[in-house]
């Protein structure tokens, strides 16, 4: 499934920002979105072991990765390209799992190749966090 703020056909789920205190869409018109046009893709296995994987960035109609000009990009030690979306794809796993006793966990950022990093200094910084 492809997620993002774009309403183009590759997007399965359109995600929009919410502005605290806004009463209507007209209140949010002037606010710049913090969600990337092609934010992330989630791939779920329908057969055991039923894994789900998240990858930052979008994929165009040719199934090529699409990142904006301002996105942080780098070459991995094995020669693959990896990167982060301009605004980042952040995930958090609650402490104590998904139970009544859940507490917020540590936020992490997901790369194009599905690697997990500590957060950048700012969401749009060119320097990635440390690989977790």
């Amino acid at each position: 499934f492809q997620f993002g703020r774009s309403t183009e056909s590759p997007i399965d789920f359109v995600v929009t920002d919410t502005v605290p205190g806004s009463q209507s869409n007209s209140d949010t018109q002037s606010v710049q979105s913090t969600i990337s046009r092609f934010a992330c893709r989630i791939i779920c296995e329908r057969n055991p072991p039923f894994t789900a994987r998240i990858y930052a960035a979008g994929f165009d109609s040719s199934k090529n990765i699409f990142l904006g000009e301002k996105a942080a990009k780098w070459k991995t030690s094995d020669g693959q390209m990896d990167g982060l979306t301009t605004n980042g794809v952040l995930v958090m796993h609650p402490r104590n799992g998904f139970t009544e006793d859940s507490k917020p966990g540590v936020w992490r950022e997901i790369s194009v190749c599905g690697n997990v990093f500590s957060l950048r200094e700012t969401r749009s910084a060119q320097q990635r966090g440390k690989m977790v």
Side-chain angles (χ1 to χ4, degrees), residues 1 19 35 62 73 82 92 118 127 130:
F1 301 100
V19 177
I35 299 168
S62 300
K73 303 171 191 80
D82 201 358
M92 185 263 295
S118 61
Q127 184 66 35
K130 293 184 180 181

Side-chain angles (χ1 to χ4, degrees), residues 10-121:
I11 301 295
D12 299 304
F13 295 95
V14 176
V15 181
T16 58
D17 280 328
T18 58
V19 177
S22 66
Q23 300 296 314
S24 68
N25 284 345
S26 63
D27 292 344
T28 65
Q29 299 268 320
S30 63
V31 178
Q32 186 172 356
S33 180
T34 61
I35 299 168
S36 297
R37 290 184 308 131
F38 299 98
C40 67
R41 177 168 279 188
I42 298 176
I43 299 175
C44 302
E45 296 290 332
R46 295 178 187 263
N47 298 310
F50 305 112
T51 57
R53 299 183 190 281
I54 184 169
Y55 301 89
F59 297 83
D60 63 19
S61 57
S62 300
K63 298 188 179 178
N64 291 316
I65 290 173
F66 180 85
L67 282 174
E69 280 182 30
K70 297 177 184 176
K73 303 171 191 80
W74 64 91
K75 206 172 242 189
T76 63
S77 58
D78 62 353
Q80 280 192 313
M81 287 303 295
D82 201 358
L84 303 168
T85 62
T86 305
N87 293 313
V89 172
L90 308 181
V91 296
M92 185 263 295
H93 192 278
R95 289 180 285 144
N96 302 326
F98 294 93
T99 67
E100 291 179 7
D101 299 322
S102 293
K103 302 284 184 227
V106 178
W107 284 97
R108 303 290 188 202
E109 185 166 15
I110 307 299
S111 75
V112 169
C113 290
N115 294 311
V116 181
F117 293 88
S118 61
L119 297 184
R120 293 180 267 180
E121 193 171 308

